[in-house]
Amino acid sequence: MSTTERPRILVVGGGYVGLYAARRILKKMRYGEATVTVVDPRSYMTYQPFLPEAAAGSISPRHVVVPLRRVLPKAEVLTGRVSTIDQDRKVAVVQPLVGETYELPFDYLVIALGAVSRTFPIPGLAENGIGMKGIEEAIGLRNHVLEQLDKADSTTDEEIRRKALTFVFVGGGFAGAETIGEVEDMARDAAKYYPNVKREDMRFVLVDAADKILPEVGPKLGKWGLEHLQKRGIEVYLETSMNSCIDGHVVLKNGLEVDSSTIVWTAGVKPNPALARFGLPLGPRGHVDTAPSLQVQGSDYIWAAGDNAQVPDLATGEGAWCPPNAQHALRQAKVLGDNVISGMRGFPQKDYKHANKGAVAGLGLHKGVAMIVFGKMKIKLKGRLAWYMHRGYHGMAMPTFNRKIRVLADWTLGMFLKREVVSLGAIENPREEFYEAASPVSAATAAKPAAPAEKAKAS
């Protein structure tokens, strides 16, 4: 018996996999065959590979996100969280943005919650760290960095200047290396407009526990990327970690201590912890354990893919798992969508198999590394050509024609117009100024000494 008049396909998560899987299902589905419901705390999908460029101002933040309701007009999009799942009753408990929780019945289930930042209990990290998993964090980082330049330019206090102009990045994978490369590029450009700030006044520090950076592109290109960052004046400390960062005082395991107002955390990701409440079989690192068909082990009506799934990598061999990247997420979502339709119609499932096509990384404007795989041949590129490959690949992978054109327009304008270096930090507290003006006793009035007439009247 169906849970509704039509079977419901519930997609938990509206990220890359959730969006593409829902689009694929809607495309393959017959009219009226099922209801597709997507539940996510945000009403948009974020294309995370573009976050470093958004943080540097090369791409408009609105062009990095895709509105779910616009792209999935035939789906039911609910803004909220799935808190628990009752597999026996085939019911999900949804917590909306406002109001009471409610139960949502389903017939088929897609788990696409993605990943969250992997953190450790480091003193001061929660209070001072900045992540790079969402567009809000990328915008916040850009505004924050430019605000530090504002502070340094307007004060003569050397201690304040030094702390404001010291930027610490933890994590040397794609996210960390690309973000520090883009932000350093932006800060270098911005310094031209600050009379009291030069690039030589700034200190950029990259920390990683591994013995190399950019492991995804191989040791040779990783070494080139390391040397390239060092030539730009970025300090790189490998085989070390951060012990604490209380009040911005960063202490590294190797003994280095610096004061910094900017601590960016990009030290890996982990599966969304909400998975532990769904009663699904999980792997040793918390991923949903799936078969090669992307079906959850032991189930014929639940599928999972992307960063929250442990998917066997058939192209590599036994015991290997697909890495969490956009290359696999896009292709897994399509296979998953087809398999949901097949499962609903009683047809056999198709296994997911995809050979690695390489990896690309941008390290700032006109700078990058790329490793492209053609069969058994690997082509390694660096510098400007690799940067073109990086932009070309991700420009094609960006969902929807609308967003591809907008991103391309941003890049094209960037070729002719100078980079914007304005900070809009006030958007984080947009009502503050109005609140002070509208309050019966504003902060400024409360701090102002009473006039003599007022003192006499009070006495």
Side-chain angles (χ1 to χ4, degrees), residues 77-96:
V77 177
L78 304 177
T79 305
R81 298 179 185 273
V82 172
S83 56
T84 58
I85 292 175
D86 187 332
Q87 296 185 44
D88 295 332
R89 297 170 53 219
K90 287 190 175 181
V91 167
V93 177
V94 178
Q95 174 63 64

Side-chain angles (χ1 to χ4, degrees), residues 263-317:
I263 302 167
V264 183
W265 183 268
T266 60
V269 297
K270 64 180 180 181
N272 195 308
L275 296 171
R277 302 193 298 269
F278 291 176
L280 302 171
L282 303 180
R285 295 179 297 166
H287 300 78
V288 180
D289 190 14
T290 74
S293 63
L294 303 175
Q295 282 182 311
V296 174
Q297 295 286 3
S299 172
D300 61 356
Y301 66 93
I302 307 177
W303 291 260
D307 292 358
N308 69 182
Q310 181 178 274
V311 180
D313 190 348
L314 300 181
T316 300

Side-chain angles (χ1 to χ4, degrees), residues 10-316:
L10 176 59
V11 181
V12 183
Y16 206 84
V17 170
L19 171 67
Y20 265 105
R23 289 184 74 190
R24 187 76 170 186
I25 292 168
L26 290 167
K27 180 180 179 181
K28 298 285 185 176
M29 197 171 61
R30 303 187 193 103
Y31 177 77
E33 187 175 5
T35 298
V36 177
T37 302
V38 180
V39 181
D40 194 274
R42 294 180 174 88
S43 61
Y44 53 85
M45 184 281 289
T46 302
Y47 188 66
Q48 293 181 351
F50 278 156
L51 290 181
E53 289 202 54
S58 298
I59 301 176
S60 171
R62 287 186 177 84
H63 301 164
V64 179
V65 299
V66 180
L68 295 177
R69 288 182 173 84
R70 180 173 180 176
V71 179
L72 303 172
K74 296 180 180 179
E76 180 183 36
V77 177
L78 304 177
T79 305
R81 298 179 185 273
V82 172
S83 56
T84 58
I85 292 175
D86 187 332
Q87 296 185 44
D88 295 332
R89 297 170 53 219
K90 287 190 175 181
V91 167
V93 177
V94 178
Q95 174 63 64
L97 285 181
V98 293
E100 299 294 325
T101 60
Y102 59 88
E103 291 188 344
L104 185 69
F106 62 85
D107 295 88
Y108 305 96
L109 183 63
V110 175
I111 304 296
L113 282 176
V116 299
S117 296
R118 181 185 63 191
T119 59
F120 302 99
I122 299 173
L125 178 59
E127 296 79 9
N128 301 290
I130 302 172
M132 275 295 287
K133 286 291 294 176
I135 188 62
E136 303 87 354
E137 292 172 316
I139 298 171
L141 175 60
R142 170 179 167 77
N143 290 330
H144 176 80
V145 169
L146 292 175
E147 281 181 352
Q148 302 315 302
L149 301 188
D150 289 337
K151 289 179 182 179
D153 187 65
S154 59
T155 183
T156 57
D157 188 314
E158 280 304 314
E159 186 176 344
I160 293 177
R161 280 175 52 84
R162 193 180 306 111
K163 186 173 183 178
L165 297 177
T166 300
F167 308 94
V168 177
F169 291 72
V170 183
F174 269 179
E178 289 188 311
T179 303
I180 196 171
E182 293 284 356
V183 170
E184 190 275 339
D185 228 10
M186 177 189 71
R188 184 187 295 270
D189 282 350
K192 300 173 184 176
Y193 305 99
Y194 290 88
N196 300 317
V197 176
K198 299 181 177 59
R199 173 60 183 90
E200 294 75 21
D201 300 328
M202 305 178 203
R203 186 177 186 183
F204 283 86
V205 178
L206 178 63
V207 181
D208 197 278
D211 61 352
K212 56 183 174 294
I213 68 169
L214 295 170
E216 300 90 344
V217 296
K220 289 186 178 180
L221 287 178
K223 183 180 179 181
W224 183 89
L226 170 64
E227 294 173 349
H228 169 78
L229 293 178
Q230 289 174 330
K231 288 179 181 177
R232 288 164 59 179
I234 297 173
E235 302 172 36
V236 182
Y237 298 98
L238 302 178
E239 298 183 89
T240 192
S241 56
M242 186 170 67
N243 286 343
S244 67
C245 57
I246 298 173
D247 295 329
H249 182 68
V250 177
V251 179
L252 301 185
K253 191 176 181 179
N254 64 1
L256 179 69
E257 297 187 25
V258 296
D259 287 322
S260 173
S261 295
T262 309
I263 302 167
V264 183
W265 183 268
T266 60
V269 297
K270 64 180 180 181
N272 195 308
L275 296 171
R277 302 193 298 269
F278 291 176
L280 302 171
L282 303 180
R285 295 179 297 166
H287 300 78
V288 180
D289 190 14
T290 74
S293 63
L294 303 175
Q295 282 182 311
V296 174
Q297 295 286 3
S299 172
D300 61 356
Y301 66 93
I302 307 177
W303 291 260
D307 292 358
N308 69 182
Q310 181 178 274
V311 180
D313 190 348
L314 300 181
T316 300

